[in-house]
PDB file of all heavy atoms in Angstrom:
ATOM      1  N   PRO S 184      18.070 -18.166  14.192  1.00  0.00           N
ATOM      2  CA  PRO S 184      18.530 -18.794  15.441  1.00  0.00           C
ATOM      3  C   PRO S 184      19.188 -20.153  15.261  1.00  0.00           C
ATOM      4  O   PRO S 184      20.180 -20.454  15.931  1.00  0.00           O
ATOM      5  CB  PRO S 184      17.236 -18.901  16.263  1.00  0.00           C
ATOM      6  CG  PRO S 184      16.427 -17.729  15.812  1.00  0.00           C
ATOM      7  CD  PRO S 184      16.696 -17.646  14.320  1.00  0.00           C
ATOM      8  N   VAL S 185      18.693 -20.985  14.357  1.00  0.00           N
ATOM      9  CA  VAL S 185      19.245 -22.337  14.210  1.00  0.00           C
ATOM     10  C   VAL S 185      20.653 -22.328  13.631  1.00  0.00           C
ATOM     11  O   VAL S 185      21.352 -23.349  13.672  1.00  0.00           O
ATOM     12  CB  VAL S 185      18.335 -23.210  13.322  1.00  0.00           C
ATOM     13  CG1 VAL S 185      16.976 -23.395  13.974  1.00  0.00           C
ATOM     14  CG2 VAL S 185      18.191 -22.616  11.927  1.00  0.00           C
ATOM     15  N   THR S 186      21.102 -21.199  13.101  1.00  0.00           N
ATOM     16  CA  THR S 186      22.444 -21.127  12.518  1.00  0.00           C
ATOM     17  C   THR S 186      23.492 -20.701  13.537  1.00  0.00           C
ATOM     18  O   THR S 186      24.680 -20.644  13.205  1.00  0.00           O
ATOM     19  CB  THR S 186      22.473 -20.155  11.325  1.00  0.00           C
ATOM     20  OG1 THR S 186      22.270 -18.815  11.786  1.00  0.00           O
ATOM     21  CG2 THR S 186      21.387 -20.509  10.315  1.00  0.00           C
ATOM     22  N   PHE S 187      23.063 -20.416  14.770  1.00  0.00           N
ATOM     23  CA  PHE S 187      23.992 -19.981  15.810  1.00  0.00           C
ATOM     24  C   PHE S 187      24.019 -20.978  16.964  1.00  0.00           C
ATOM     25  O   PHE S 187      23.033 -21.670  17.227  1.00  0.00           O
ATOM     26  CB  PHE S 187      23.590 -18.604  16.347  1.00  0.00           C
ATOM     27  CG  PHE S 187      23.820 -17.482  15.372  1.00  0.00           C
ATOM     28  CD1 PHE S 187      22.799 -17.060  14.529  1.00  0.00           C
ATOM     29  CD2 PHE S 187      25.056 -16.854  15.287  1.00  0.00           C
ATOM     30  CE1 PHE S 187      23.007 -16.030  13.623  1.00  0.00           C
ATOM     31  CE2 PHE S 187      25.272 -15.829  14.389  1.00  0.00           C
ATOM     32  CZ  PHE S 187      24.249 -15.414  13.548  1.00  0.00           C
ATOM     33  N   ARG S 188      25.146 -21.001  17.645  1.00  0.00           N
ATOM     34  CA  ARG S 188      25.293 -21.865  18.817  1.00  0.00           C
ATOM     35  C   ARG S 188      24.229 -21.513  19.854  1.00  0.00           C
ATOM     36  O   ARG S 188      24.005 -20.339  20.163  1.00  0.00           O
ATOM     37  CB  ARG S 188      26.686 -21.693  19.426  1.00  0.00           C
ATOM     38  CG  ARG S 188      26.972 -22.624  20.606  1.00  0.00           C
ATOM     39  CD  ARG S 188      28.322 -22.289  21.216  1.00  0.00           C
ATOM     40  NE  ARG S 188      29.396 -22.488  20.260  1.00  0.00           N
ATOM     41  CZ  ARG S 188      30.016 -23.638  20.067  1.00  0.00           C
ATOM     42  NH1 ARG S 188      29.650 -24.703  20.769  1.00  0.00           N
ATOM     43  NH2 ARG S 188      30.993 -23.740  19.186  1.00  0.00           N
ATOM     44  N   GLY S 189      23.570 -22.519  20.372  1.00  0.00           N
ATOM     45  CA  GLY S 189      22.533 -22.295  21.354  1.00  0.00           C
ATOM     46  C   GLY S 189      21.239 -21.776  20.763  1.00  0.00           C
ATOM     47  O   GLY S 189      20.322 -21.393  21.492  1.00  0.00           O
ATOM     48  N   SER S 190      21.156 -21.747  19.424  1.00  0.00           N
ATOM     49  CA  SER S 190      19.952 -21.266  18.727  1.00  0.00           C
ATOM     50  C   SER S 190      19.556 -19.864  19.165  1.00  0.00           C
ATOM     51  O   SER S 190      18.373 -19.536  19.281  1.00  0.00           O
ATOM     52  CB  SER S 190      18.774 -22.239  18.949  1.00  0.00           C
ATOM     53  OG  SER S 190      19.062 -23.498  18.380  1.00  0.00           O
ATOM     54  N   THR S 191      20.579 -19.034  19.405  1.00  0.00           N
ATOM     55  CA  THR S 191      20.339 -17.649  19.809  1.00  0.00           C
ATOM     56  C   THR S 191      21.158 -16.717  18.932  1.00  0.00           C
ATOM     57  O   THR S 191      22.381 -16.867  18.829  1.00  0.00           O
ATOM     58  CB  THR S 191      20.731 -17.429  21.284  1.00  0.00           C
ATOM     59  OG1 THR S 191      19.955 -18.301  22.114  1.00  0.00           O
ATOM     60  CG2 THR S 191      20.473 -15.982  21.694  1.00  0.00           C
ATOM     61  N   VAL S 192      20.498 -15.765  18.293  1.00  0.00           N
ATOM     62  CA  VAL S 192      21.198 -14.785  17.465  1.00  0.00           C
ATOM     63  C   VAL S 192      21.902 -13.792  18.386  1.00  0.00           C
ATOM     64  O   VAL S 192      21.263 -13.185  19.250  1.00  0.00           O
ATOM     65  CB  VAL S 192      20.218 -14.030  16.550  1.00  0.00           C
ATOM     66  CG1 VAL S 192      20.968 -13.015  15.689  1.00  0.00           C
ATOM     67  CG2 VAL S 192      19.442 -15.005  15.673  1.00  0.00           C
ATOM     68  N   PRO S 193      23.210 -13.598  18.248  1.00  0.00           N
ATOM     69  CA  PRO S 193      23.914 -12.625  19.085  1.00  0.00           C
ATOM     70  C   PRO S 193      23.274 -11.243  18.966  1.00  0.00           C
ATOM     71  O   PRO S 193      22.917 -10.812  17.869  1.00  0.00           O
ATOM     72  CB  PRO S 193      25.336 -12.633  18.518  1.00  0.00           C
ATOM     73  CG  PRO S 193      25.477 -13.980  17.886  1.00  0.00           C
ATOM     74  CD  PRO S 193      24.125 -14.301  17.327  1.00  0.00           C
ATOM     75  N   PRO S 194      23.107 -10.534  20.076  1.00  0.00           N
ATOM     76  CA  PRO S 194      22.440  -9.228  20.046  1.00  0.00           C
ATOM     77  C   PRO S 194      23.056  -8.249  19.050  1.00  0.00           C
ATOM     78  O   PRO S 194      22.330  -7.532  18.355  1.00  0.00           O
ATOM     79  CB  PRO S 194      22.582  -8.733  21.488  1.00  0.00           C
ATOM     80  CG  PRO S 194      22.664  -9.984  22.304  1.00  0.00           C
ATOM     81  CD  PRO S 194      23.437 -10.952  21.458  1.00  0.00           C
ATOM     82  N   GLU S 195      24.377  -8.211  18.960  1.00  0.00           N
ATOM     83  CA  GLU S 195      25.010  -7.274  18.036  1.00  0.00           C
ATOM     84  C   GLU S 195      24.694  -7.633  16.588  1.00  0.00           C
ATOM     85  O   GLU S 195      24.494  -6.753  15.745  1.00  0.00           O
ATOM     86  CB  GLU S 195      26.526  -7.257  18.256  1.00  0.00           C
ATOM     87  CG  GLU S 195      27.271  -6.279  17.356  1.00  0.00           C
ATOM     88  CD  GLU S 195      26.814  -4.836  17.535  1.00  0.00           C
ATOM     89  OE1 GLU S 195      26.356  -4.481  18.648  1.00  0.00           O
ATOM     90  OE2 GLU S 195      26.910  -4.064  16.556  1.00  0.00           O
ATOM     91  N   HIS S 196      24.644  -8.918  16.295  1.00  0.00           N
ATOM     92  CA  HIS S 196      24.290  -9.374  14.947  1.00  0.00           C
ATOM     93  C   HIS S 196      22.867  -8.938  14.613  1.00  0.00           C
ATOM     94  O   HIS S 196      22.601  -8.428  13.516  1.00  0.00           O
ATOM     95  CB  HIS S 196      24.413 -10.898  14.874  1.00  0.00           C
ATOM     96  CG  HIS S 196      24.257 -11.459  13.499  1.00  0.00           C
ATOM     97  ND1 HIS S 196      25.327 -11.863  12.728  1.00  0.00           N
ATOM     98  CD2 HIS S 196      23.151 -11.675  12.736  1.00  0.00           C
ATOM     99  CE1 HIS S 196      24.890 -12.315  11.559  1.00  0.00           C
ATOM    100  NE2 HIS S 196      23.573 -12.215  11.542  1.00  0.00           N
ATOM    101  N   ALA S 197      21.955  -9.137  15.551  1.00  0.00           N
ATOM    102  CA  ALA S 197      20.559  -8.761  15.329  1.00  0.00           C
ATOM    103  C   ALA S 197      20.416  -7.258  15.144  1.00  0.00           C
ATOM    104  O   ALA S 197      19.669  -6.796  14.264  1.00  0.00           O
ATOM    105  CB  ALA S 197      19.701  -9.234  16.504  1.00  0.00           C
ATOM    106  N   ARG S 198      21.127  -6.476  15.950  1.00  0.00           N
ATOM    107  CA  ARG S 198      21.042  -5.018  15.829  1.00  0.00           C
ATOM    108  C   ARG S 198      21.580  -4.551  14.480  1.00  0.00           C
ATOM    109  O   ARG S 198      20.995  -3.672  13.830  1.00  0.00           O
ATOM    110  CB  ARG S 198      21.824  -4.350  16.970  1.00  0.00           C
ATOM    111  CG  ARG S 198      21.116  -4.370  18.310  1.00  0.00           C
ATOM    112  CD  ARG S 198      21.785  -3.418  19.293  1.00  0.00           C
ATOM    113  NE  ARG S 198      23.133  -3.865  19.629  1.00  0.00           N
ATOM    114  CZ  ARG S 198      23.419  -4.657  20.660  1.00  0.00           C
ATOM    115  NH1 ARG S 198      22.443  -5.105  21.442  1.00  0.00           N
ATOM    116  NH2 ARG S 198      24.666  -5.006  20.917  1.00  0.00           N
TER     117      ARG S 198
END
Side-chain angles (χ1 to χ4, degrees):
V185 297
T186 68
F187 289 94
R188 184 185 298 273
S190 296
T191 300
V192 180
E195 181 59 28
H196 188 102
R198 284 193 294 269

